[in-house]
Amino acid sequence: MLMSQTGNYRPVLSYVIISSGRNDASTSPGPNAKMECPMHSAESVLSAFSMPSKVKTIIAGTKFGELTVLSAAMPFTRLNGRRAAASLCRCVCGSERAYRNNGLRNGYWKSCGCKSRETAALARVTHGEARGKAASVELRTYYNMVRRCSTPSAPDWPGYGGRGIRVCARWLKDFAFFLQDMGRRPSRAHSLERIDVNGDYDPANCCWAL
């Protein structure tokens, strides 16, 4: 730091004088001398201001619940103007998006939301349908349908959710809509089937079949 004539301090960059081979005690650079600033290159100065100093990237392959980090992503801009580091992640259900690093590290993000959708759908089961061993066959059918399409850990996930098969939003919203659209199972020999095996579970593509 140097003091100006006004009494204010101003920053200066230190430099190294590289001599042209003449070894003397002179402090003035000769005509063939050049000045370098190895610790203050343009790249280092710009990079120091491009990201917060405490930002730490997350190594690709790191897992956070159902999410796996693929690479660093463009930082998020907060309301206060500061930037927050982010990582591109893939959920076990196959979806990809960027998440804030601090949200991953503190456990706020564990999946893309597929687990939450399944939990919310099953939590809304009402209308006198029992749970557990006394659950109605329609409720068990509904539970198994949602599970194999929304839960990657389900044994039959690869043939359903893993292939992109989904349950329609109406049925996910409430079991009552599923029961209203499909009715009770006609007999023990019937099972819930899709007319188009590559299509989703929705009223137009499902039936009780023998």
Side-chain angles (χ1 to χ4, degrees), residues 6-23:
T6 60
N8 296 325
Y9 286 96
R10 58 188 178 87
V12 297
L13 296 180
S14 61
Y15 61 85
V16 177
I17 300 176
I18 300 178
S19 174
S20 59
R22 178 167 162 264
N23 186 13

Side-chain angles (χ1 to χ4, degrees), residues 136-157:
S136 67
V137 65
E138 292 79 18
L139 177 56
R140 292 198 302 270
T141 300
Y142 175 82
Y143 174 84
N144 290 332
M145 172 186 68
V146 173
R147 187 169 185 268
R148 61 177 169 258
C149 291
S150 305
T151 307
S153 60
D156 42 6
W157 159 267

Side-chain angles (χ1 to χ4, degrees), residues 2-120:
L2 295 180
M3 179 177 290
S4 64
Q5 294 179 352
T6 60
N8 296 325
Y9 286 96
R10 58 188 178 87
V12 297
L13 296 180
S14 61
Y15 61 85
V16 177
I17 300 176
I18 300 178
S19 174
S20 59
R22 178 167 162 264
N23 186 13
D24 55 31
S26 173
T27 59
S28 300
N32 296 323
K34 60 180 181 178
M35 292 182 292
E36 293 185 352
C37 302
M39 298 304 295
H40 303 282
S41 63
E43 293 80 4
S44 64
V45 172
L46 290 175
S47 63
F49 289 95
S50 63
M51 286 294 293
S53 59
K54 294 184 179 180
V55 166
K56 293 183 179 179
T57 58
I58 299 177
I59 299 174
T62 304
K63 293 183 178 295
F64 297 93
E66 308 289 346
L67 300 172
T68 301
V69 175
L70 300 179
S71 64
M74 289 295 293
F76 286 94
T77 301
R78 297 170 175 164
L79 294 178
N80 60 8
R82 299 184 64 182
R83 298 202 295 172
S87 297
L88 177 65
C89 300
R90 177 184 292 125
C91 184
V92 288
C93 69
S95 65
E96 294 182 6
R97 54 159 287 192
Y99 299 85
R100 289 184 181 179
N101 287 359
N102 60 345
L104 293 170
R105 290 193 175 101
N106 64 25
Y108 182 83
W109 291 110
K110 295 182 179 180
S111 74
C112 69
C114 56
K115 293 285 290 181
S116 299
R117 289 191 291 271
E118 177 202 4
T119 302

Side-chain angles (χ1 to χ4, degrees), residues 105-202:
R105 290 193 175 101
N106 64 25
Y108 182 83
W109 291 110
K110 295 182 179 180
S111 74
C112 69
C114 56
K115 293 285 290 181
S116 299
R117 289 191 291 271
E118 177 202 4
T119 302
L122 297 178
R124 285 190 290 267
V125 174
T126 55
H127 312 287
E129 298 295 324
R131 291 178 179 272
K133 294 182 179 180
S136 67
V137 65
E138 292 79 18
L139 177 56
R140 292 198 302 270
T141 300
Y142 175 82
Y143 174 84
N144 290 332
M145 172 186 68
V146 173
R147 187 169 185 268
R148 61 177 169 258
C149 291
S150 305
T151 307
S153 60
D156 42 6
W157 159 267
Y160 293 87
R163 291 201 301 120
I165 307 300
R166 298 289 182 262
V167 178
C168 69
R170 171 179 166 83
W171 287 358
L172 275 179
K173 185 176 182 180
D174 201 311
F175 165 73
F177 293 133
F178 169 78
L179 189 60
Q180 178 182 332
D181 293 336
M182 296 304 302
R184 297 289 177 180
R185 187 177 68 166
S187 70
R188 291 185 177 182
H190 286 76
S191 61
L192 182 67
E193 302 292 344
R194 285 167 296 134
I195 299 171
D196 177 4
V197 295
N198 294 315
D200 293 338
Y201 283 96
D202 58 50

